[in-house]
Amino acid sequence: MVLGAINLIVGLVALVTALTAGDIVVSAVVACIGPIIMAALYLRFGISVKNGGVPKKIDILAYFVRLAGLSEIIIAVFNLWNAIETEGALAAIVALAVSIIIGLIILFIAGRINDGKQDTGDKIIWIILVVLFAISAVLDILAIIGIFTAGVAFDWTLLSTVILPIASFIIDVFMLLLLFDSDVKREMNM
């Protein structure tokens, strides 16, 4: 919920900043919409988990991974126009295609997590998720350390920059613990 709420606030601030700039760049405004949509979806997911709307551990894991895949696609789609203007059409289209492919792979993995089947594919997905969440946790720790060692002045943007990696780290640890939960391991044939 914290991750979704902070990202929603940061996205809305970016949108307002883009709309109130002297020369409004419409593509930059459109690029702000994708992260706002995803922040709202993450916030809604967090509230659903908190309220018991997603009660099974395996479903929490699958839904979170599904949101990661959707995020990859939605943010890339809304960023396309801005990327064309800033990076060129070819680079923007290649980046969009790569993001869509990665997003679809992540969505496929999410679908396999709680499909009710228990096969070798589940074991492979379990191992991949453990590695990815562990790497993400380490990168979050490095981001937090980097912020504090950079000697940057403390303001509200730095506060969001510090809180987001901390929230992300907590989520990564939670997902790792979820992967090692006996119910989840059983559901994923581990």
Side-chain angles (χ1 to χ4, degrees), residues 33-123:
I33 296 171
I36 291 171
I37 291 170
M38 287 315 304
L41 289 175
Y42 275 109
L43 181 59
R44 181 176 166 253
F45 169 63
I47 292 169
S48 293
V49 171
K50 180 185 176 293
N51 294 338
V54 187
K56 289 179 65 181
K57 296 171 190 174
I58 194 76
D59 293 335
I60 293 171
L61 177 67
Y63 199 96
F64 184 80
V65 173
R66 187 170 291 113
L67 280 176
L70 279 174
S71 179
E72 189 72 30
I73 295 169
I74 289 173
I75 290 173
V77 167
F78 278 96
N79 194 46
L80 177 63
W81 182 9
N82 193 46
I84 288 171
E85 290 183 356
T86 59
E87 300 166 20
L90 180 62
I93 292 170
V94 168
L96 175 66
V98 168
S99 291
I100 288 173
I101 291 168
I102 290 171
L104 290 174
I105 291 169
I106 294 170
L107 288 172
F108 171 77
I109 288 171
R112 285 291 313 255
I113 290 173
N114 62 346
D115 64 356
K117 298 177 187 173
Q118 296 174 340
D119 56 14
T120 305
D122 287 338
K123 289 181 181 186

Side-chain angles (χ1 to χ4, degrees), residues 57-58 60-62 113 122-135 137 171-190:
K57 296 171 190 174
I58 194 76
I60 293 171
L61 177 67
I113 290 173
D122 287 338
K123 289 181 181 186
I124 294 168
I125 289 171
W126 186 88
I127 292 167
I128 290 170
L129 289 173
V130 167
V131 170
L132 290 177
F133 284 123
I135 290 171
I171 289 170
D172 291 334
V173 169
F174 175 75
M175 290 297 154
L176 281 168
L177 292 173
L178 200 55
L179 282 165
F180 284 98
D181 180 82
S182 59
D183 293 339
V184 171
K185 285 177 72 175
R186 185 176 53 254
E187 292 271 349
M188 296 189 75
N189 199 28
M190 290 303 286

Side-chain angles (χ1 to χ4, degrees), residues 158-172:
L158 183 60
L159 183 62
S160 68
T161 307
V162 172
I163 292 174
L164 288 176
I166 291 171
S168 181
F169 174 75
I170 292 168
I171 289 170
D172 291 334

